Amino acid sequence: MADISDDLIKLERFAEEARAQLAGLADEEYRVQWRRWADAAEAFQAAVTAHAAATGQARHEVEMAAKKAVRHGDEDPVD
């Protein structure tokens, strides 16, 4: 398993929470929340890329490790 930081976990958790908040929204509320989610997801992806480069790890392994740490044992927030 890849070595990941607490910051990566926090960024992924924030992105997942923003994604979950899309449920039930429509029109302008949906567009505003979608932008929040997209920005959070983009920040997570950039952090994954930087962390992988800094530590010499495979990028996809870092991403999957962070996602697993956030989602391990948790239900999908949308369900």
Side-chain angles (χ1 to χ4, degrees):
M1 184 198 266
D3 178 37
I4 56 172
S5 69
D6 289 340
D7 288 338
L8 286 177
I9 293 170
K10 288 176 188 175
L11 287 168
E12 173 60 7
R13 185 170 288 128
F14 183 72
E16 277 298 294
E17 289 169 357
R19 182 188 63 81
Q21 291 174 5
L22 287 167
L25 299 180
D27 303 322
E28 185 61 21
E29 287 180 324
Y30 181 88
R31 284 188 286 279
V32 168
Q33 186 58 35
W34 186 90
R35 176 49 41 206
R36 286 183 189 131
W37 165 73
D39 290 346
E42 185 176 308
F44 169 70
Q45 292 296 327
V48 166
T49 299
H51 183 80
T55 61
Q57 298 178 82
R59 191 203 172 286
H60 72 279
E61 289 179 6
V62 171
E63 180 179 357
M64 291 301 104
K67 288 179 183 244
K68 183 177 180 181
V70 169
R71 297 174 186 164
H72 179 68
D74 291 341
E75 296 284 328
D76 186 341
V78 175
D79 289 341

